[in-house]
Amino acid sequence: MKTLKFIAACALLASANHVFSHENASHGSHAAPAPQQQAWGIAGQAREATRTITLRMTDDMRFTPAQFKARVGETVRLRVENKGKVLHEVVLGTQASLAEHAAMMREHPGMAHAEAHMAHVAPGGAQDLVWRFNRAGSFDFACLVAGHFEAGMRGTFTVTP
């Protein structure tokens, strides 16, 4: 328990700059880039979402649920809720892409990034991530705030034909 509290405290201190860079990145005046196909799908349109899955994030470095399923071609609204007292995020990807991104975040904790397959949520807040699951397979999601990924803040999703 002390270890988790220590990790959370360190992550909070180390990510202060990270918090502000994420917030500023989402409020820029630049047009959003065109959606890019990823191995795990592509950004979807909210009007095409057929259902909503709520992902809750907490300061115990866990997601609830830690796994979910979708069908190929389905567009889902992921309602991402931060029930904690520190910034959390959800990033969709593969084990390899998330591990690589987590390593970059450790090296550059203030790195600003905003992609369609991620949602950065302030404490007590919520954000929608709309995704079209157009590729079958088993994939992952994680919080890549410094220290959170390493503390086990990860989950999986399966896309079936």
Side-chain angles (χ1 to χ4, degrees), residues 4 7-8 10-12 14-15 18 57-63 86-107 113 139-156:
L4 281 178
I7 290 171
C10 289
L12 177 63
S15 66
H18 175 77
M57 305 177 291
T58 59
D59 294 344
D60 66 353
M61 304 300 153
R62 297 293 178 257
F63 288 98
V86 299
L87 175 79
H88 290 292
E89 66 182 4
V90 64
V91 180
L92 305 178
T94 62
Q95 285 184 358
S97 70
L98 294 172
E100 181 180 333
H101 195 145
M104 280 194 304
M105 292 303 295
R106 280 192 304 276
E107 289 181 33
H113 58 283
F139 305 100
D140 300 276
F141 60 95
C143 179
L144 301 181
V145 171
H148 296 201
F149 180 76
E150 295 78 7
M153 197 165 182
R154 309 170 194 193
T156 61

Side-chain angles (χ1 to χ4, degrees), residues 40-61:
W40 53 93
I42 193 165
Q45 298 294 318
R47 67 182 176 276
E48 297 173 0
T50 57
R51 66 183 171 120
T52 299
I53 297 172
T54 301
L55 290 176
R56 289 180 184 85
M57 305 177 291
T58 59
D59 294 344
D60 66 353
M61 304 300 153

Side-chain angles (χ1 to χ4, degrees), residues 120-137:
H120 315 286
V121 186
Q127 184 176 336
D128 288 346
L129 186 161
V130 180
W131 199 253
R132 183 165 182 253
F133 297 95
N134 63 1
R135 302 276 171 98

Side-chain angles (χ1 to χ4, degrees), residues 3 9 11 14 19-20 23 31 38 54 61 102 106 114-115 120 125 142 146 158:
T3 302
V19 170
F20 295 111
E23 287 178 6
Q38 302 292 336
T54 301
M61 304 300 153
R106 280 192 304 276
E115 301 289 336
H120 315 286
T158 304

